[in-house]
Amino acid sequence: MSELDCLAVGSSAFDILMTVNRPPHSDERIGAHALSVSGGGPAATAATAMARLGLRVGIVSAVGDDVFGRLMIEEFARFGVDTSNVQTVPGSSTLSTVLIERETARRSLIVYGGCINRIDLERVELSRIKHARSVHLDGNNLALAMEAARVGKIAGVPVYLDGGNIPADALADLLPLVDVYIPDEQSVRRQLGEGVSVQDACQAFHTKGPSLVCITRAEHGSIAYDGETFWSAPAYTGVSIVDTTGAGDNFHGAFVAARLEGWEISETLRFANAYAALCCRGVGGRTSAPDLAETLQHLAQWQVGSEA
């Protein structure tokens, strides 16, 4: 069996995205300025990001037996993501409608379904983790994430966890199995309380097991902590932001890719920040995803600009 650079484990969705002046009021009909469709989902978009950056990636997920499920599988194939562990769930669907405000890029989301919570755990081939260089989890199915983390921990495979969908009461059991924990700042407040600083949050999460904690902070960039040193990097400002859908998911994919290349943490933060921002140039989380060469070009220009 060929080795994967990363096996992503978690949810897949299909996004229908429209750009509007503002969301409609009740019983109001409005027009949209632009329409785009794209695959989505935290683990799924992290997987396509890694594939776009040249990694060999597989995904464990579930889709419905409808047109949206077929479109998701087709898009994975275009990115080169191995879908042999994607289950089709009869009579189900996972679909999101996203309204993006044209002037502010603020979003309103309507989410339907949740195929990942109907996945047949007995049919999931988590043994593939043993043949991977890393595993990335999104936690939308906690039982699946827990089992995948256990397999990775026993096999000595680095376990990355997207903390955006993890309830606070699950952290005590899950974090000891995780090597790299990456929540967003909003999730940190939900998990630890409104008043916690990002530095204190990094330290608190680190004591629970992960060797590295990173918190994404949207326009404030990102911060990381390994038990001894804090690193931070500013948000990349070299592009016009059109839509932030999938920005965090793309950050995760770029972060894993950089660490697998052996990059230092400071370099990884800058790279992942830049990659996430570049993915916000178009409508949808994958439509403007750059490859490695383009990302490095922007990163070099950013560094030159920072030194000027």
Side-chain angles (χ1 to χ4, degrees), residues 137-158:
L137 317 173
D138 73 14
N140 276 316
N141 181 320
L142 282 175
L144 175 62
M146 188 75 71
E147 187 57 30
R150 283 196 192 98
V151 173
K153 195 72 170 178
I154 292 170
V157 174

Side-chain angles (χ1 to χ4, degrees), residues 5-9 41-51 53 55 57 134-139 159-166 178 180-185 187-188 191 212-217 222-223 246-260 268-269 271-277 279 285:
D5 292 308
C6 186
L7 183 65
V9 181
T45 298
T48 56
M50 288 184 271
L53 290 168
L55 272 62
V57 186
S134 64
V135 58
H136 173 69
L137 317 173
D138 73 14
V159 177
Y160 292 77
L161 176 63
D162 176 347
N165 297 291
I166 309 296
V178 171
V180 182
Y181 182 54
I182 311 180
D184 59 89
E185 193 169 7
S187 295
V188 167
Q191 293 165 352
L212 179 63
V213 177
C214 173
I215 297 174
T216 60
R217 308 187 64 206
S222 55
I223 185 171
D249 309 329
N250 282 301
F251 177 96
H252 287 274
F255 191 100
V256 174
R259 293 298 286 168
L260 289 178
T268 296
L269 292 178
F271 178 79
N273 286 352
Y275 188 85
C279 291

Side-chain angles (χ1 to χ4, degrees), residues 47-124:
T48 56
M50 288 184 271
R52 189 81 173 100
L53 290 168
L55 272 62
R56 296 162 296 177
V57 186
I59 185 164
V60 174
S61 192
V63 301
D65 63 345
D66 57 5
V67 63
F68 304 116
R70 292 191 292 276
L71 289 171
M72 281 186 264
I73 295 295
E74 290 172 4
E75 188 171 44
F76 280 135
R78 289 197 297 274
F79 276 92
V81 176
D82 180 345
T83 58
S84 58
N85 258 306
V86 175
Q87 295 182 16
T88 299
V89 181
S92 189
S93 187
T94 302
L95 182 67
S96 298
T97 299
V98 185
L99 300 182
I100 305 147
E101 296 180 43
R102 185 160 64 168
E103 291 190 2
T104 65
R106 288 197 298 259
R107 299 173 300 148
S108 302
L109 287 79
I110 303 171
V111 180
Y112 174 81
C115 292
I116 192 62
N117 289 311
R118 296 184 60 189
I119 197 169
D120 184 348
L121 295 178
E122 294 184 357
R123 291 173 49 210
V124 175

Side-chain angles (χ1 to χ4, degrees), residues 194-273:
E194 286 292 333
V196 66
S197 70
V198 290
Q199 291 83 1
D200 287 345
C202 283
Q203 292 175 322
F205 290 133
H206 186 270
T207 63
K208 298 179 186 296
S211 59
L212 179 63
V213 177
C214 173
I215 297 174
T216 60
R217 308 187 64 206
E219 69 272 17
H220 301 296
S222 55
I223 185 171
Y225 176 68
D226 70 347
E228 294 183 358
T229 305
F230 282 100
W231 291 267
S232 63
Y236 180 64
T237 57
V239 295
S240 297
I241 302 300
V242 174
D243 175 27
T244 59
T245 300
D249 309 329
N250 282 301
F251 177 96
H252 287 274
F255 191 100
V256 174
R259 293 298 286 168
L260 289 178
E261 287 299 310
W263 291 15
E264 297 294 333
I265 295 172
S266 58
E267 296 175 301
T268 296
L269 292 178
R270 290 176 67 86
F271 178 79
N273 286 352

